[in-house]
Amino acid sequence: KAGVTQTPRYLIKTRGQQVTLSCSPISGHRSVSWYQQTPGQGLQFLFEYFSETQRNKGNFPGRFSGRQFSNSRSEMNVSTLELGDSALYLCASSLGDRDHYEQFFGPGTRLTVL
Amino acid sequence: AQSVTQLDSHVSVSEGTPVLLRCNYSSSYSPSLFWYVQHPNKGLQLLLKYTSAATLVKGINGFEAEFKKSETSFHLTKPSAHMSDAAEYFCVVSEGGGSYIPTFGRGTSLIVHP
């Protein structure tokens, strides 16, 4: 069974631009979560989508948004990029039910904002 | 509210000696607890999880952890360290109660000396 895939693996953008990251979950997984990882703040939860609906949301500004498609693939968008948005963005998928919340992580997208 | 504290930011051991990575948690509900490992430039991999079954949990690669409710701890151990164990380790709590937003510890960097 293929693992979680994220594209692209690396991105360089400039301040003010916007960016879209993509995540394909493990087949059969309906939940996709996004995380931001930085040296200063560690791993922080952005949001979770389950069956095309945002089910949980972390404490990030509205510039960070996401969506999930009917095939469970998910995209994350960051608008008006700031230098502080430079980070490794991780996607994780799971079955998403109450008894099986084990998450499987992708390799991440490294975003650099100049 | 839930929180997790990894008591050591760095742990250094010699190959062949025991490993102990400490984690304390706080939760208003009966939590699920996880340990993940992250090798450089890779995503996170689940080592083991506790979900209210046996308090001693065995994971992959010889790791295990013991859930101690009275001490609110979930320490990760391994009898004998291997060079390939050098990585970042994250303790994670997810407390349920309608919200499955996981909280990650800040991570412990395990250094293994030959």
Side-chain angles (χ1 to χ4, degrees):
Chain A
K1 189 183 268 190
V4 178
T5 58
Q6 293 186 246
T7 57
R9 293 292 312 278
Y10 301 91
L11 265 179
I12 300 175
K13 293 285 187 179
T14 57
R15 281 181 298 173
Q17 288 187 309
Q18 75 167 18
V19 66
T20 299
L21 312 181
S22 180
C23 172
S24 293
I26 290 173
S27 177
H29 284 191
R30 297 164 66 190
S31 168
V32 173
S33 297
W34 289 89
Y35 297 86
Q36 182 193 67
Q37 186 177 26
T38 60
Q41 299 298 318
L43 263 160
Q44 294 184 286
F45 173 80
L46 279 155
F47 32 65
E48 181 212 7
Y49 286 85
F50 181 79
S51 295
E52 301 179 65
T53 301
Q54 188 180 85
R55 185 164 70 170
N56 289 295
K57 187 177 187 303
N59 189 27
F60 276 80
R63 300 186 297 106
F64 292 82
S65 63
R67 59 178 177 169
Q68 186 180 34
F69 303 95
S70 57
N71 62 358
S72 292
R73 189 177 70 85
S74 178
E75 288 181 348
M76 190 191 90
N77 184 274
V78 187
S79 62
T80 320
L81 284 166
E82 300 177 359
L83 294 179
D85 297 333
S86 294
L88 180 67
Y89 289 89
L90 292 165
C91 162
S93 77
S94 76
L95 289 169
D97 61 29
R98 295 301 187 243
D99 296 326
H100 297 90
Y101 209 68
E102 172 184 337
Q103 294 189 311
F104 295 82
F105 284 80
T109 295
R110 173 75 64 184
L111 173 64
T112 302
V113 182
L114 303 176
Chain B
Q2 64 189 21
S3 67
V4 60
T5 303
Q6 292 184 241
L7 298 167
D8 306 291
S9 59
H10 296 85
V11 169
S12 183
V13 301
S14 297
E15 191 173 23
T17 63
V19 175
L20 170 64
L21 306 183
R22 300 183 294 166
C23 172
N24 286 353
Y25 71 92
S26 172
S27 174
S28 302
Y29 300 89
S30 296
S32 294
L33 293 158
F34 308 82
W35 275 99
Y36 285 85
V37 61
Q38 184 179 32
H39 288 93
N41 299 313
K42 298 286 182 66
L44 278 71
Q45 180 185 20
L46 180 70
L47 280 176
L48 49 81
K49 62 181 177 181
Y50 166 78
T51 54
S52 75
T55 56
L56 183 61
V57 182
K58 293 188 185 299
I60 62 171
N61 300 336
F63 285 94
E64 63 181 38
E66 186 172 8
F67 173 72
K68 292 187 176 179
K69 186 175 181 179
S70 60
E71 299 177 10
T72 60
S73 69
F74 190 58
H75 301 336
L76 182 71
T77 61
K78 182 174 181 178
S80 176
H82 192 273
M83 294 297 292
S84 61
D85 294 328
E88 191 83 11
Y89 291 80
F90 294 92
C91 182
V92 182
V93 61
S94 180
E95 69 177 359
S99 170
Y100 285 82
I101 298 176
T103 299
F104 282 73
R106 293 303 302 267
T108 297
S109 178
L110 177 63
I111 302 160
V112 183
H113 298 286

